[in-house]
């Protein structure tokens, strides 16, 4: 763990990304302190360009503060990104672990299911789920989780399959350790490194997907989100570019930082030492 | 012989996946809250009693679930994906007339993203650590983090509204009735922005993948053998490293097909491209769910086909299919 | 063979000074710097030696001695900029290779100096045919018309004793065996008739019988072409088999060099003496089988592995065990020897319950083992106390995230031994295998390969087993460490009365420790007998071939009283 932190902190880009994320997260949590009014509330004249008054990023067609919307939108993005990743991870790890450890018919069956879910076009499937369940935080989380667990399952399965035949795992079997303990204590901890990396990238993808859904009007109608802001501004690109520009920048920065952190973790967890042969 | 077996196996698998998607399609509607008929007829649409009765009749909704499924599959098999309540036409024909536009967009975007992505990625890997690498890797990282619809809007703002280089909307210029070669040029003119926007994200994906894959392959033993043979570095990169590095890229291209088609919903919505993606958005607005479900099924079939094609391409690149199996 | 050793003794008489001036390759004062943070500053330090035309020079050393690094430096293939030549010269044919522009080095590589590697399985490009890969080398010099080129490649492959060169030329590497791939590698290396061939452990990954063939191929080609060969190996048996001259390296330094007979029969440097005295040979026999009761009995075991079956294809079947029977007595060390794929590990794993047999019976103290199923699992858990295993790879056999103490107590705790007693037992076992009690609270990565293997043994012993299975347990270790671990196993047998089923591919190792041997091939037991009898008078051709292939079989190791 100490080595991990050390290796990670050597990566300036990753460290910067993490720092930025922390700042965004704090701002999201503190949104009601910075903008005590609701982001839906009209606070000024409509179509105010940025920096032209008290509104940093301008106002929209109903005179709502864009910057307030971005801050409150961050809450939705983080919430959905993290929760749907957590759900997808638990499905993916369970399926992958069972398939990889048990092998045989269980593996065959689970992998067919995984392949199936990986084949269907994820965004369209998510649209169908949210549309039919009607848009809400819950339906969005379910939709994103359902389309994003297959890569985790495949990754965990591959790790479990290679670790299952590793000698220390066989040693535990020979010592009479029960299967679930082997999975939990011998295999899982050694398979976690790539899963952690994937998790950080999944949060990024989930945020992108959530923004896509709410851009299409499938966001939770009670909560403002970045995708919704851009979607609402779509037809007004000619008159008020700032309405879609700033929320988009917020998405890019957040997703970029998550990717940087993911790459940093990857480098720290699998040090790519030039594999010099033993002389 | 091995290859034929392999392809036959893939076709059977593809057919099974399509069947499974159809079954899932069936259950999604039934699992939705409320009467499936009201879902299909459009939740907020006018509840035309006659129409709903007709639907009930046709799907056998008073029968047990398994019979309903059987009827549903039988209808599907005959190309009956239901009727669009809004348009009063068969869902299949509504989708099919939009399909060519989407195919044009996705296939051209796929081609430019694979080609440019692989070129950029291999350039970055070849010149690892130089400013080329830094530039390509940073751009790839940036585009990888950018939402398609946002970059589409920004492209419209810059290239259509400010610079006026490309049309912002649609597939043809409605006011001019072009024919022949002019029509084709007109379509291509309209295609540039949506294709580039859809392609950029995947270009970033392929560039990152190619770079990583090449760096990994270049540490393999057979590359060392090639160096020990005294072959020129450029030749080693082309013949030994790149070909092997492309294997995961090909596999990934198959997996990406689904994402690419999903991306068309966003891009076609932004650019008003008259394809299946735009149709999905419109039916979403109109709550025309039978069309939406039809699109889901048809696009899934397209992905299955794309996967089979990449698998077949793979067998031509990698002689080891029989062992891989 | 011994005749060659005698004549070779006379070789240095040509005069050292003259040899140096005529030497094909002359390495002088070479140091290779490692990147900062490595375990030592130099991979190779101040090494000086020559390689003559028309002779084979072996560079010998244990892992980490820097022997491969030297070869890479000669080829200009060091992983720059991390590793670089810090000082010294490498003269090839009078030209200093150090600092030569890449362009010129490239024209020398593969044409004047060629190299072959250890892992034939990964050294060929999987996506190119054998012919294409050989052609690349030929085209460095000249572009022949296709038909002529094919004919030349075919002749070349044929001279490497590859069957059906026309077909092999169009084959992809995955269709060839390891030995065949190594022959293809040699064909590529020799395509342009280089004057120096560098062979980096070229037979280490191969079975003994294949190793013998490859060694004689290298020897034969070297004679025919009058090449100089730099042959890197860790195995003194191979040295005895092939070398004219020997250079011994320890931790980057050359400790001794000279003619092969001189080094092998009269080593002077303590390190060389230590290494040679640790080399196992067929002459070190263990005593005869002790008379005692039967602990374990296998009757007519069968096991078939199926793979690759699909909708349209029949699965491939491998008969891994075919009517195998054996008995193991208390206090006995039974050797299970054979080449890769002979089924020896499958048998060991079946006994321990890691893969159940398809048919046949395994009895432990009269109780039949059930293999799979719920009852089988219960029984397996109960019997885990009695049968334990030590694995091959010391780096893979310990969970990197579990402290040594936890690893050793895991089994006993699982079987209801109280914590205090389990801990006490673990410490006792640690000291028994020669490790400090402080190891208890440390992680595996803090230990060397040999120490980890001891931890693995302690883990098995903590269960107080009656049968210990050692699956290639010393194969991954350097000879000196190997000898210590073998000694430990013998001590365990004597002090604890444990029976050991010793699985190995190395007949020399088997000879030093096993009372009795079972020779396996293609899933069957070919021959069985007391070690000394079996070696003195093998009944089966296969056993004879295996014994004959043991490298250095004709070398009479000198008696050295070294304490290890």
């Amino acid at each position: 763990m100490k080595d991990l932190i050390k290796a990670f902190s050597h990566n300036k880009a990753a460290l910067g990304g993490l720092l930025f994320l922390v700042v965004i997260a704090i701002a999201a949590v503190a949104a009601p302190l910075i903008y005590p009014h609701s982001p839906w509330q009209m606070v000024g004249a409509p179509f105010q360009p940025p920096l032209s008054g008290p509104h940093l990023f301008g106002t929209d067609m109903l005179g709502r503060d864009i910057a307030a919307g971005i801050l409150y939108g961050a809450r939705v993005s983080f919430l959905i990104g993290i929760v749907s990743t957590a759900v997808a991870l638990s499905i993916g790890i369970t399926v992958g672990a069972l398939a990889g450890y048990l092998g045989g018919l269980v593996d065959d069956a689970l992998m067919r299911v995984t392949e199936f879910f990986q084949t269907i076009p994820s965004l369209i499937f998510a649209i169908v789920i949210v549309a039919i369940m009607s848009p809400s935080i819950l339906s969005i989380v379910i939709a994103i989780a359902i389309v994003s667990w297959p890569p985790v399952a495949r990754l965990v399965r591959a790790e479990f399959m290679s670790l299952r035949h590793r000698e220390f795992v066989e040693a535990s079997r020979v010592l009479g350790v029960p299967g679930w303990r082997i999975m939990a204590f011998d295999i899982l901890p050694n398979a976690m490194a790539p899963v952690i990396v994937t998790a950080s990238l999944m949060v990024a993808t989930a945020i992108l997907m959530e923004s896509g859904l709410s851009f299409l009007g499938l966001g939770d109608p009670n909560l403002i989100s970045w995708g919704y802001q851009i979607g609402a501004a779509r037809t007004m690109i000619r008159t008020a570019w700032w309405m879609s520009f700033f929320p988009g920048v917020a998405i890019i920065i957040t997703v970029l930082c998550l990717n940087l952190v993911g790459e940093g973790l990857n480098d720290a967890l699998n040090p790519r030492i030039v594999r010099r042969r033993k002389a | 012989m091995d290859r034929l077996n392999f392809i036959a196996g893939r076709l059977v698998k593809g057919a099974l996946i399509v069947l499974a998607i159809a079954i899932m399609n069936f259950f999604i509607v039934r699992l939705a809250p409320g009467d499936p008929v009201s879902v299909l007829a459009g939740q907020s649409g006018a509840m035309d009693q006659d129409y709903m009765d007709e639907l009930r009749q046709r799907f056998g909704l008073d029968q047990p679930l398994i019979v309903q499924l059987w009827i549903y599959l039988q209808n599907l098999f005959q190309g009956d994906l239901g009727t669009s309540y809004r348009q009063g036409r068969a869902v299949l024909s509504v989708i099919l007339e939009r399909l060519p536009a989407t195919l044009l967009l996705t296939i051209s975007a796929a081609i430019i993203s694979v080609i440019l992505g692989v070129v950029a990625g291999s350039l970055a890997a070849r010149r690892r650590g130089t400013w080329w690498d830094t530039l390509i890797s940073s751009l790839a990282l940036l585009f990888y983090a950018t939402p398609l619809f946002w970059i589409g809007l920004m492209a419209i703002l810059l290239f259509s509204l400010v610079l006026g280089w490309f049309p912002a909307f649609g597939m043809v210029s409605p006011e001019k009735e072009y024919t022949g070669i002019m029509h084709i040029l007109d379509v291509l003119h309209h295609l540039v922005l949506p294709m580039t926007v859809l392609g950029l994200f995947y270009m970033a994906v392929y560039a990152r993948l190619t770079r990583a894959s090449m760096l990994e392959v270049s540490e393999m033993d057979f590359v060392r053998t090639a160096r020990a043979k005294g072959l020129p570095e450029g030749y080693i990169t082309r013949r030994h490293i790149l070909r092997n590095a492309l294997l995961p890229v090909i596999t990934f291209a198959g997996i990406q097909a689904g994402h690419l088609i999903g991306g068309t919903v966003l891009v076609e919505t932004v650019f008003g491209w008259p394809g299946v993606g735009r149709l999905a958005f419109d039916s979403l607005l109109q709550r025309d769910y039978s069309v939406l479900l039809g699109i889901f099924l048809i696009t899934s079939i397209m992905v299955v086909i794309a996967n089979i094609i990449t698998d077949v391409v793979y067998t031509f690149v990698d002689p080891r299919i029989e062992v891989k199996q | 063979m011994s005749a060659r050793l005698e004549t070779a003794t006379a070789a240095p008489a040509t005069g050292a000074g003259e040899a140096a001036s005529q030497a094909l390759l002359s390495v002088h004062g070479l140091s290779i710097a490692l990147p900062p943070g490595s375990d030592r500053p130099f991979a190779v330090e101040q090494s000086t030696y020559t390689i003559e035309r028309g002779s084979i020079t072996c560079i010998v050393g244990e892992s980490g001695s820097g022997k491969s690094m030297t070869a890479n430096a000669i080829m200009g293939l060091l992983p720059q900029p991390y590793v670089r030549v810090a000082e010294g010269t490498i003269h090839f044919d009078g030209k200093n290779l150090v600092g030569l522009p890449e362009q010129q080095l490239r024209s020398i590589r593969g044409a004047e100096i060629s190299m072959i590697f250890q892992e034939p399985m990964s050294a060929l490009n999987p996506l190119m045919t054998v012919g294409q890969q050989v052609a690349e080398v030929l085209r460095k010099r000249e572009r022949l018309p296709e038909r002529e080129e094919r004919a030349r490649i075919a002749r070349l492959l044929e001279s490497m004793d590859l069957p059906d060169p026309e077909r092999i030329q169009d084959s992809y590497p995955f269709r060839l065996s390891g030995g065949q791939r190594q022959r293809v590698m040699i064909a590529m290396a020799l395509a342009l008739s280089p004057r120096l061939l560098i062979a980096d452990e070229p037979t280490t990954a191969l079975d003994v019988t294949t190793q013998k063939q490859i060694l004689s191929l290298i020897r034969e080609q070297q004679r025919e072409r009058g090449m100089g060969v730099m042959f890197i190996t860790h195995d003194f048996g191979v040295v005895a088999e092939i070398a004219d001259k020997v250079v011994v390296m320890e931790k980057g330094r050359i400790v001794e060099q000279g003619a092969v007979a001189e080094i092998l029969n009269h080593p002077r440097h303590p390190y060389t003496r230590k290494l040679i005295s640790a080399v196992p040979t067929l002459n070190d026999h263990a005593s005869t089988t002790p008379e005692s009761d039967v602990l374990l009995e296998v009757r007519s075991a069968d096991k078939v592995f199926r793979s690759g079956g699909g909708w349209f294809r029949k699965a491939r079947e491998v008969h891994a065990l075919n009517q195998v029977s054996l008995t193991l007595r208390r206090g006995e060390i039974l050797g299970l020897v054979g080449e890769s794929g002979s089924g020896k590990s499958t048998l060991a794993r079946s006994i321990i319950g890691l893969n159940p047999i398809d048919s046949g019976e395994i009895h432990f103290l009269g109780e039949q083992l059930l293999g799979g199923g719920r009852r089988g699992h219960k029984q397996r858990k109960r019997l885990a106390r009695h049968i334990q295993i030590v694995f091959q790879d010391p780096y893979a056999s310990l969970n990197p995230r579990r402290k040594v103490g936890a690893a050793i107590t895991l089994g006993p705790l699982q079987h209801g031994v109280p914590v205090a007693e389990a801990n006490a037992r673990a410490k006792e076992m640690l000291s028994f295998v020669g490790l400090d009690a402080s190891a208890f609270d440390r992680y595996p990565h803090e230990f060397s390969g040999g120490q980890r293997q001891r931890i693995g043994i302690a883990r098995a012993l903590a269960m107080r087993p009656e049968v210990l299975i050692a699956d290639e347990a010393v194969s991954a270790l350097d000879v000196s460490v190997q000898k210590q671990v073998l000694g430990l196993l013998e001590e365990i047998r004597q002090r604890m009365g444990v029976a050991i089923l010793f699985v190995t591919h190395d007949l020399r190792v088997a000879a030093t420790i096993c009372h009795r041997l079972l020779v396996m091939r293609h899933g069957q037991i070919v021959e069985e007998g007391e070690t000394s009898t079996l070696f003195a008078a093998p009944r089966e051709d296969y056993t004879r071939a295996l014994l004959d292939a043991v490298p250095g079989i004709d070398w009479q190791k000198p008696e050295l009283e070294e304490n290890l």
Side-chain angles (χ1 to χ4, degrees):
Chain A
M1 196 62 200
K2 241 181 280 164
D3 295 344
L4 174 66
I5 294 168
K6 201 174 146 201
F8 186 85
S9 58
H10 275 299
N11 187 333
K12 287 202 189 80
L15 210 58
L18 186 63
L19 208 70
F20 237 97
L21 283 179
V22 171
V23 171
I24 299 173
I26 291 173
V29 171
L33 299 177
I34 305 168
Y35 292 102
H37 56 81
S38 153
W40 299 105
Q41 198 184 317
M42 188 170 152
V43 291
F47 296 123
Q48 294 278 314
L51 295 175
S52 65
H55 310 295
L56 185 63
F57 296 148
T59 59
D60 69 3
M61 63 282 186
L62 295 176
R64 298 177 294 207
D65 190 317
I66 302 282
I70 288 177
L71 274 199
Y72 281 89
R75 310 175 122 205
V76 176
S77 289
F78 275 87
L79 178 71
I80 289 181
I82 290 167
V83 175
S84 61
T85 299
V87 176
L89 278 182
S90 30
I91 305 174
I93 290 177
T94 312
V95 171
L98 288 175
Y101 187 76
L102 297 175
L105 286 176
V106 178
D107 179 35
D108 273 352
L110 288 175
M111 277 348 272
R112 289 299 87 78
V113 174
T114 309
E115 256 169 52
F116 168 73
F117 275 95
Q118 201 158 28
T119 304
I120 49 187
S122 50
L123 185 63
I124 297 182
F125 189 37
I127 290 171
V128 169
I129 294 174
V130 177
I132 289 187
M133 287 181 68
S134 77
S136 68
I137 289 273
L138 180 70
S139 64
I140 295 171
V141 164
I142 289 176
I144 295 178
I146 281 185
V147 299
S148 29
W149 65 268
V152 184
R154 297 187 81 122
L155 179 77
V156 172
R157 169 181 178 262
E159 288 290 318
F160 266 61
M161 279 177 78
S162 83
L163 286 166
R164 176 170 65 142
H165 296 295
R166 203 65 68 79
E167 291 177 347
F168 68 79
V169 174
E170 298 198 321
S172 288
R173 282 175 66 191
V174 168
L175 291 171
V177 179
W180 68 268
R181 281 196 69 124
I182 293 181
M183 279 202 251
F185 296 107
D186 277 313
I187 304 185
L188 196 58
N190 287 295
M192 275 321 277
V195 175
I196 290 170
V197 173
T198 310
S200 67
L201 302 178
M202 277 169 69
V203 175
T205 316
I207 289 178
L208 275 181
M209 186 168 278
E210 186 277 331
S211 73
L213 287 173
S214 33
F215 172 78
L216 294 172
L218 291 173
D220 188 312
N222 302 312
L223 296 168
I224 198 155
S225 73
W226 296 337
Y228 164 80
Q229 286 186 298
I230 301 174
R234 181 169 67 89
T235 49
M236 271 154 271
I237 185 82
R238 210 177 281 270
T239 40
W241 58 269
W242 58 88
M243 280 173 58
S244 42
F245 180 79
F246 292 107
V249 172
I251 298 176
I252 294 175
I253 290 176
T254 310
V255 173
L256 191 65
C257 289
L258 281 164
N259 285 332
L260 287 175
V261 169
E263 284 191 354
L265 282 173
N266 190 36
D267 294 348
L269 290 168
N270 324 304
R272 266 204 166 279
I273 312 155
V274 186
R275 262 170 255 138
R276 269 174 260 110
R277 306 183 73 78
K278 276 186 202 141
Chain B
M1 207 46 219
D2 282 340
R3 179 172 294 134
L4 285 183
N5 271 334
F6 179 83
I7 294 172
R10 284 293 183 270
L11 284 174
V12 171
K13 205 162 139 190
L16 287 175
I17 290 181
V18 170
L19 182 68
I21 290 168
I23 294 173
M24 197 171 69
N25 232 338
F26 169 82
F27 280 109
I28 285 178
V29 179
R30 265 97 192 145
L31 289 179
D35 187 352
V37 168
S38 64
V39 172
L40 287 177
Q43 284 177 336
S44 66
M47 292 296 183
D48 178 343
Q49 199 54 48
D50 290 346
Y51 180 68
M52 300 213 331
D53 287 344
E54 187 208 319
L55 274 182
R56 271 207 187 86
Q57 181 72 34
R58 221 165 57 118
F59 291 109
L61 290 181
D62 38 3
Q63 313 243 21
L65 212 57
I66 189 79
V67 178
Q68 294 181 32
L69 176 63
W70 181 242
I71 294 171
Y72 172 80
L73 289 178
Q74 268 182 330
N75 287 342
L76 267 194
F77 207 70
Q78 292 158 5
D80 179 2
L81 302 188
T83 310
S84 162
Y85 179 69
R86 297 279 167 180
Q87 306 198 22
R89 293 192 298 141
V91 167
L92 188 64
S93 65
V94 172
I95 296 174
L96 284 184
E97 78 186 22
R98 297 289 199 101
L99 203 55
T102 294
L103 286 178
L104 177 66
L105 177 61
T106 45
I107 292 174
S108 57
I111 290 172
I112 62 154
S113 62
V114 169
I115 292 176
L116 294 182
V118 166
V119 168
S122 50
L123 194 67
R126 184 75 205 287
R127 316 213 166 165
R128 188 187 188 181
T130 65
W131 66 268
W132 272 105
D133 182 21
T134 314
L135 180 74
I136 292 171
S137 300
S138 312
L139 280 180
L141 198 64
L142 185 68
F143 288 128
Y144 190 62
T146 310
L148 280 176
F149 53 89
W150 183 82
I151 209 165
L153 286 173
M154 294 304 125
I156 289 176
L157 185 64
L158 183 63
F159 295 105
S160 304
L161 302 180
V162 176
L163 297 170
W165 290 353
F166 299 103
F169 203 79
M171 190 171 166
V172 288
S173 315
E175 69 284 2
K176 306 189 181 92
E177 281 164 19
Y178 289 125
T179 49
I181 188 83
M182 285 309 288
H183 172 71
I184 294 174
L185 288 177
D186 188 40
V187 170
L188 289 181
H189 193 209
H190 281 79
L191 179 64
V192 173
L193 282 187
M195 173 189 74
T196 313
V197 167
L198 185 58
L200 265 181
F201 178 80
Y202 298 97
M203 207 185 294
V205 172
Y206 291 123
R208 287 161 61 90
L209 187 65
T210 307
R211 179 179 180 274
S213 176
M214 280 188 70
L215 290 178
E216 196 173 320
V217 172
S218 63
E219 291 192 2
M220 288 187 174
D221 283 355
F222 64 83
V223 176
R224 185 185 53 179
T225 304
R227 296 219 167 90
K229 288 195 302 199
L231 302 173
E233 208 53 38
Y235 176 89
I236 294 176
T237 306
R238 269 178 284 119
R239 286 283 306 209
H240 291 273
I241 302 178
L242 186 60
R243 259 191 85 188
N244 281 281
L246 283 182
L247 296 181
V249 176
I250 293 172
T251 310
F252 198 70
I255 295 173
Q256 280 296 316
H259 296 243
L260 194 67
I261 288 175
T264 60
V265 180
L266 298 168
V267 172
E268 290 183 4
T269 300
V270 171
F271 288 97
W273 189 262
V276 177
R278 176 76 200 196
L279 180 65
F281 180 66
D282 292 339
S283 35
L284 198 59
L285 287 185
Q286 299 165 349
R287 299 180 177 254
D288 197 350
Y289 291 150
S290 46
V291 174
L292 196 58
L293 289 168
I295 291 173
F296 178 48
L297 188 66
I298 298 286
T299 50
S300 299
I301 292 172
M302 283 167 65
V303 176
V304 169
I305 293 171
N307 280 334
I308 292 173
I309 292 172
T310 45
D311 283 344
V312 172
V313 169
Y314 198 99
T315 66
F316 282 94
V317 185
D318 191 342
R320 293 165 296 182
I321 38 161
E322 154 198 20
V323 182
K324 273 267 163 74
Q325 182 80 39
Chain C
M1 189 60 66
S2 47
R4 192 173 61 78
L5 289 186
E6 291 313 314
T7 51
T9 331
T14 21
E18 196 187 341
S21 65
Q22 282 184 351
L24 178 61
L25 184 87
S26 150
V27 175
H28 190 84
L30 183 73
S31 294
I32 300 172
L34 287 172
S38 307
D39 56 344
R40 59 177 196 246
F42 295 99
V44 172
E45 232 176 317
Q46 291 293 331
S47 65
T48 298
Y49 56 88
T50 60
I51 289 172
E52 264 68 43
R53 289 180 180 78
S55 77
I56 298 181
T57 303
C58 274
I59 315 280
V60 205
E62 296 187 290
S63 52
S65 60
K67 50 194 196 301
S68 291
M69 221 37 121
T70 318
N72 287 331
I74 296 168
M75 293 294 282
L77 291 179
L78 290 175
Q80 283 175 345
Y82 312 106
V83 182
R84 58 189 172 81
V85 172
E87 59 176 322
T89 58
I90 303 171
H91 279 94
F92 174 71
D93 222 12
K95 193 192 298 174
N96 186 3
L97 298 180
V98 176
L100 209 61
E102 174 62 23
Q103 184 89 26
Q104 287 182 46
L105 270 178
R106 199 187 302 140
S107 66
I108 292 174
R109 282 205 295 265
E112 310 265 330
I113 309 178
S114 286
M115 187 163 176
I116 56 178
F117 303 95
Q118 175 172 348
E119 284 296 337
M121 302 317 266
S122 56
L124 291 168
N125 186 335
L127 302 187
M128 284 167 81
T129 63
V130 164
Q132 287 169 335
Q133 300 191 52
V134 179
E136 281 182 339
V137 183
L138 292 177
R139 287 175 197 164
K140 272 172 66 97
R141 189 161 291 162
E142 56 186 335
R143 190 82 198 217
L144 296 168
E146 200 189 321
R147 178 187 293 230
E148 216 173 298
E149 192 177 77
R150 283 189 63 89
R152 239 181 102 177
I153 294 170
R155 276 203 306 281
L156 187 64
L157 293 175
E158 197 169 9
S159 67
M160 299 302 145
D161 300 324
L162 279 163
D164 200 353
E166 279 301 330
R167 190 182 54 81
I168 285 212
Q169 163 154 207
D170 293 321
S171 296
Y172 287 95
F174 76 95
R175 295 202 181 273
L176 308 186
S177 69
Q180 288 176 325
R181 292 188 209 195
Q182 200 58 301
R183 285 172 198 275
V184 170
M185 283 296 290
I186 296 174
M188 284 190 327
L190 301 185
L192 296 179
S193 302
R195 282 176 293 166
L196 173 64
L197 174 69
I198 301 176
D200 188 357
E201 303 258 14
T203 58
T204 307
L206 304 174
D207 277 326
V208 268
T209 48
T210 317
Q211 162 165 286
K212 186 185 167 75
Q213 293 162 6
I214 296 291
L215 288 180
S216 54
L217 177 67
I218 291 175
R219 175 48 96 177
E220 179 192 303
Q221 292 290 331
Q222 178 268 328
R223 289 232 176 94
E224 231 166 70
R225 296 161 189 260
M227 280 185 305
V229 174
M230 172 175 173
F231 194 105
I232 296 166
T233 182
H234 67 282
D235 186 337
F236 271 96
V238 171
V239 173
E241 204 71 30
I242 202 168
D244 294 313
K245 210 182 106 180
V246 182
V247 174
V248 184
M249 291 187 75
E250 183 198 11
K251 293 188 183 130
R253 291 177 175 276
I254 293 178
V255 296
E256 188 166 3
Q257 53 179 313
V260 63
E262 196 63 26
I263 301 280
L264 287 187
N265 300 330
H266 312 287
R268 276 188 293 272
H269 191 276
Y271 179 71
T272 321
R273 293 174 68 88
K274 184 181 113 175
L275 275 188
I276 288 183
S277 74
V279 173
T281 70
L282 293 185
N283 307 322
D284 313 332
H285 287 322
S287 50
T288 48
T289 313
E291 285 296 323
S292 56
D293 54 329
V294 172
L295 275 178
L296 183 80
E297 190 175 3
V298 178
R299 289 183 209 148
S300 315
D302 261 298
K303 174 87 191 170
V304 176
F305 286 115
R306 292 181 182 78
S307 64
W311 287 62
F312 298 92
R313 203 176 31 232
K314 247 179 77 180
R316 274 184 297 274
E317 291 191 351
V318 180
H319 217 132
L321 294 180
N322 191 350
Q323 295 293 311
V324 173
S325 301
L326 68 80
T327 54
L328 180 65
R329 292 169 182 282
R330 198 180 289 280
E332 176 188 34
I333 302 186
L334 175 64
L336 208 51
V337 296
E339 299 187 289
S340 56
S342 62
K344 54 187 194 304
S345 281
T346 309
L347 180 55
R349 293 166 59 85
S350 295
I351 293 171
I352 197 90
L354 284 172
N355 46 20
I357 49 176
D358 298 338
S359 68
E361 294 172 7
I362 302 176
H363 292 265
F364 176 75
L365 280 175
E367 182 182 358
Q368 185 174 348
L369 303 191
L370 301 168
R374 182 173 283 275
R375 279 174 57 220
H377 276 293
K378 276 203 167 144
Q379 182 196 41
R380 174 63 245 133
K381 209 186 148 190
R382 185 160 48 81
L383 291 180
R385 278 191 32 238
H386 305 288
I387 312 179
Q388 276 301 314
I389 185 167
V390 179
F391 292 99
Q392 170 173 4
D393 186 349
Y395 291 89
S397 59
L398 296 171
N399 186 340
R401 287 165 200 276
R402 185 177 278 144
K403 285 182 182 165
V404 169
I408 300 176
T409 54
L410 180 67
L413 290 178
Q414 199 64 50
H415 289 268
V417 175
V419 178
E421 195 192 325
N423 286 349
R425 208 192 272 185
K427 286 185 177 142
E428 181 197 332
M429 287 306 146
L430 278 174
S431 83
F432 182 80
V433 299
L435 288 170
D436 198 76
S438 67
F440 191 89
D441 287 316
R442 290 158 70 192
Y443 283 98
H445 69 87
E446 298 174 55
F447 297 89
S448 71
Q451 288 171 326
R452 288 183 199 211
Q453 207 61 324
R454 288 167 191 275
I455 295 169
I457 293 172
R459 175 177 61 191
L461 291 181
M463 296 291 280
R464 304 256 158 91
E466 277 149 291
V467 173
L468 188 63
I469 294 176
D471 187 1
E472 299 276 9
V474 298
S475 304
L477 306 175
D478 280 326
V479 275
S480 50
V481 183
Q482 189 176 61
K483 177 151 185 162
Q484 296 164 4
V485 173
L486 287 172
L488 177 62
L489 287 174
E490 173 63 22
E491 198 185 331
I492 289 166
R493 183 190 74 83
Q494 282 175 8
R495 284 185 37 193
M496 302 184 169
V498 173
I500 300 177
L501 182 64
F502 191 87
V503 181
T504 184
H505 69 281
D506 192 335
L507 282 176
R508 291 171 292 178
V509 170
T512 59
I513 191 168
C514 299
H515 302 120
R516 225 157 31 97
L517 291 180
L518 298 178
V519 181
M520 287 194 73
R521 187 193 196 190
H522 301 331
Q524 285 175 307
I525 291 180
V526 180
E527 188 167 355
E528 174 173 5
E530 295 277 325
T531 308
S532 47
T533 338
L534 192 124
F535 283 175
R539 288 190 307 272
E540 297 293 324
D541 289 345
Y542 181 66
T543 316
R544 215 166 290 131
L546 269 187
L547 283 170
D548 194 39
V550 168
I553 190 168
D554 295 317
W555 170 42
Q556 289 293 329
K557 203 177 89 173
E559 292 294 325
L560 305 166
E561 300 86 38
E562 301 294 327
N563 288 322
L564 287 165

